[in-house]
């Protein structure tokens, strides 16, 4: 029984431990999963931003790429004028009148002789200069100065440490070389090695990769007129035809275009190569931030070749606007709980609650986009919540299981104890049966074989036989009553009668047995009116109490047993007092349990079944009463049985134990 319980407990506790372990690990895995998923969200947002920025820049570059080369001059002759027309219209460049065009700032053209022209060169030649014209003029001058001071020296390779862009010289054109740019993949690799949460996002829109060289045919007359229109007209002729000035112009066109005049066809081929970025140091232009993101000013240049005339056209990248556009795009794609911070240059992942760093790699430089958690501890909080829930449930389950196991243990212990008691009871009953039977057989044999010669002896032996058979009857009566009560079959007959007389009859019945054992029984009846009681039950009570007194007080000096009755409130109290060893206080509750026999010396030496007092208690309870034990003076025990005999118990005549 215990073994099975122990195995069951071990299995249940092991299963619970397993559950705790599994729960703990699955919560950890969930935490990792949540972190992974969140990281995935950040990566997805970064990719969306990259795509959006790329799309915006692609559109911008497409516009710039398809911009006619003539837009970079201050005047131009439109393409679609009727062929053969003597006087061609000269129009102002659409770029004239402003410095910014989307992300482009201060468009310019470097002439074959190294001089710089811009669409706003001649703004000061107007007559009615407004304030904004003046501002534009100042900006145009400073832009030109910036190009001449910072870009041109780099193009000539005169600035130490600058990009090696020696494709242009005063003496002629050398083949165009790709600028040296950092491989995006290489950067990505470095970044990923440094930190898993930093990823490089290449944005190639501003590089020449992917763009195509355009080759277009232009009518020679238009081309020539266009070259000529580079010479600034008089202010009053700005939008007029300039045919007359064509002859006077001379200059670069005269020398270059004139030399090829005779053998050439009616059209010229215009070859426009893709834009490429050039980063140069310095710059104090308005569009330029104090500390540049890319470590210098970014110019986007394209090489335009018309026959043997080579031009460089380009503009400066408006970094402020670029940052603004990236911020716009980033704020559009932010998800719940996310924020961002753009930090040009250095990776600032270490500070604050940056969860993911997207390095927008433009090839010639990076912009670091730090994606942040607004509440960096939200995953931790959720996991803590989950943990508290889970472990609370486990604790409740554990408590329930422990309580269940404890009650199982207690039950099992009680069952085992009861089984043990029953075993003891069976052996006690067998013993109790055998002893009187042996005596009766012995006496009857002696009398039968006429071995008892004296008449007195014969009378004594007959008396002994009667006593032993009475003892047998008492025992059998007890066992039968107990069995009836156990099965709920015990029936009581409550009748009105004289309880003192009933008690006196039992005493008289027991007296010879007591006398033989050296005891004297005194009765002290109280005047009691009619009482309602079960005579058999009261008889059993008195017999059992007297039997016990005779058994356990056999060594007492005072071998007097007093049987008295009292009335106390609604109860009739029967007291049986002896002057034996008494019952120790700690056993006083237990002695009324079925089969209980203390291991005391006096009990071990006495035969018994542990049923007597249990039955007395049951009978008292059947009379709505109780039984208790108090100490007698100087020694001994007084058993007090209270019976509610004054209540009209007739009402529940024949009541069964089960109903009680
Ligand atoms: P049994 O007498 O068969 O052992 P009982 O139920 O009658 O069973 O008594 C239970 C126990 O109470 C006894 O074993 C004994 O130890 C104790 N007991 C009962 N009556 C007395 C008494 N008068 N004096 C001392 N001990 C007693």
């Amino acid at each position: 029984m215990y073994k099975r319980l122990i195995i069951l407990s071990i299995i249940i506790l092991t299963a619970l431990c397993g559950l705790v372990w599994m729960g703990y690990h699955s919560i950890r895995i969930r935490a990792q999963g949540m972190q992974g998923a969140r990281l995935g969200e950040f990566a997805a947002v970064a990719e969306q931003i990259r795509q959006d920025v790329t799309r915006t820049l692609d559109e911008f570059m497409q516009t710039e790429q398809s911009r006619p080369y003539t837009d970079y001059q201050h005047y131009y002759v439109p393409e679609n004028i009727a062929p053969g027309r003597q006087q061609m219209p000269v129009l102002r460049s659409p770029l004239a009148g402003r410095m910014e065009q989307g992300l482009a700032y201060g468009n310019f053209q470097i002439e074959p002789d190294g001089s710089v022209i811009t669409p706003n060169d001649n703004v000061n030649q107007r007559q009615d200069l407004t304030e904004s014209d003046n501002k534009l003029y100042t900006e145009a001058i400073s832009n030109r100065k910036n190009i001449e001071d910072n870009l041109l020296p780099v193009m000539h390779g005169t600035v130490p440490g600058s990009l090696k862009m020696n494709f242009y010289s005063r003496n002629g054109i050398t083949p165009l070389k790709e600028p040296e740019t950092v491989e995006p993949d290489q950067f990505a690799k470095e970044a990923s090695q440094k930190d898993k949460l930093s990823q490089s996002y290449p944005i190639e829109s501003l590089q020449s990769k992917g763009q195509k060289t355009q080759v277009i045919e232009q009518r020679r007359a238009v081309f020539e007129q266009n070259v000529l229109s580079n010479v600034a007209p008089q202010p009053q002729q700005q939008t007029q035809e300039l045919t007359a000035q064509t002859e006077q112009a001379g200059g670069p066109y005269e020398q270059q275009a004139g030399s090829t005049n005779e053998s050439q066809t009616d059209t010229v081929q215009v070859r426009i190569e893709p834009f490429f970025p050039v980063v140069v140091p310095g710059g104090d232009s308005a569009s330029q931030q104090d500390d540049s993101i890319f470590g210098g000013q970014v110019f986007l240049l394209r090489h335009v070749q018309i026959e043997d005339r080579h031009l460089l056209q380009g503009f400066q990248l408006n970094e402020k606007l670029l940052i603004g556009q990236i911020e716009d795009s980033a704020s559009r794609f932010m998800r719940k709980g996310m924020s961002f911070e753009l930090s040009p240059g250095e990776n600032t992942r270490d500070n604050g609650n940056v969860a993911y760093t997207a390095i927008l790699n433009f090839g010639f430089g990076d912009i670091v986009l730090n994606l942040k958690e607004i509440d960096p501890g939200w995953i931790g909080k959720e996991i803590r919540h989950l943990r508290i829930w889970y472990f609370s449930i486990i604790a409740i389950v554990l408590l329930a299981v422990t309580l269940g196991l404890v009650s199982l243990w207690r039950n099992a212990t009680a069952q085992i104890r009861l089984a043990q008691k029953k075993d003891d009871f069976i052996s006690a009953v067998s013993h109790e049966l055998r002893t009187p039977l042996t005596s009766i057989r012995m006496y009857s044999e002696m009398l039968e074989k006429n071995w008892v010669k004296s008449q007195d002896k014969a009378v004594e032996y007959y008396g002994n036989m009667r006593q032993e058979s009475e003892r047998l009857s008492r025992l059998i009566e007890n066992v039968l009553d107990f069995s009836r009560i156990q099965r709920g079959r015990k029936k009581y007959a409550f009748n009105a009668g004289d309880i003192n007389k009933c008690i006196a009859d039992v005493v008289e019945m027991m007296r010879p047995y007591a006398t033989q054992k050296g005891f004297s029984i005194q009765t002290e009846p109280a005047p009691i009116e009619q009482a309602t009681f079960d005579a058999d039950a009261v008889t059993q009570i008195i017999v059992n109490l007297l039997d016990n007194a005779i058994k356990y007080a056999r060594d007492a000096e005072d071998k007097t047993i007093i049987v008295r009755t009292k009335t106390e409130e609604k109860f009739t109290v029967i007291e049986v007092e002896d002057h034996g060893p008494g019952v120790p206080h700690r056993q006083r509750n237990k002695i009324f349990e079925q089969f209980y026999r203390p291991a005391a010396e006096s009990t071990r030496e006495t035969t018994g079944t542990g049923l007597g007092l249990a039955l007395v208690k049951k009978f008292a309870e059947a009379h709505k009463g109780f039984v208790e034990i108090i100490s007698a003076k100087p020694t001994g025990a007084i058993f007090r049985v209270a019976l509610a005999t004054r209540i009209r118990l007739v009402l529940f005549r024949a009541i069964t134990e089960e109903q009680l």
Side-chain angles (χ1 to χ4, degrees), residues 125-234:
Q125 292 171 13
R126 304 228 207 110
Q127 281 178 333
D128 49 346
L129 276 184
T130 61
E131 200 178 316
S132 70
D133 284 340
N134 267 329
K135 191 170 166 260
L136 182 68
Y137 178 59
T138 324
E139 271 193 55
I141 288 181
S142 114
N143 181 41
R144 168 192 288 280
K145 195 168 166 339
N146 178 35
I147 294 159
E148 287 169 352
D149 289 356
N150 296 310
L151 180 64
L152 287 187
V154 174
M155 310 310 281
H156 293 303
T158 54
V159 177
S162 66
L163 294 171
K164 295 181 181 65
M165 303 297 292
N166 290 323
F167 54 84
Y168 183 89
S169 77
R170 279 179 198 284
N171 304 326
I173 304 291
T174 54
L176 196 67
K177 272 195 244 163
E178 277 283 315
E180 285 178 10
T181 53
V182 183
E183 272 295 306
D185 288 350
Q186 183 193 332
F187 194 90
K189 249 184 248 163
E190 280 171 19
S192 70
Q193 276 163 9
K194 234 193 293 170
D195 190 341
K196 264 212 269 181
L197 306 177
S198 286
Q199 263 307 331
S200 181
Y201 288 82
I203 297 175
E204 296 175 344
S205 309
L206 300 180
Q207 296 167 54
S208 49
K209 285 177 187 171
Q211 298 173 35
K212 280 190 188 138
T213 301
Q214 305 171 52
V215 180
I216 44 177
E217 298 283 327
Q218 188 174 44
R219 277 188 289 145
R220 183 174 293 281
V222 174
F223 160 62
E224 284 169 358
Q225 281 295 69
N226 262 321
V227 172
L228 201 64
S229 71
N230 275 340
V231 180
Q234 292 307 309

Side-chain angles (χ1 to χ4, degrees), residues 27-48:
I27 288 174
R28 256 184 54 183
I29 289 167
R30 174 148 173 77
Q32 284 167 0
M34 279 173 82
Q35 272 156 2
R38 190 62 172 165
L39 204 65
E41 269 189 69
F42 276 114
V45 166
E47 177 57 23
Q48 281 173 323

Side-chain angles (χ1 to χ4, degrees), residues 260 262 341 373 430 470 476 500 552 563 579 583 594 636:
T260 53
E262 301 144 26
E341 175 194 82
E373 287 284 15
S430 320
E470 277 170 7
I476 289 166
N500 278 330
Y552 298 109
V563 179
H579 299 100
V583 178
Q594 57 199 26

Side-chain angles (χ1 to χ4, degrees), residues 520-539:
S520 68
I521 305 176
Q522 291 177 15
T523 50
E524 295 176 6
I528 298 171
E529 297 166 18
Q530 280 280 90
T532 307
F533 62 96
D534 180 301
D536 286 346
V538 170
T539 306

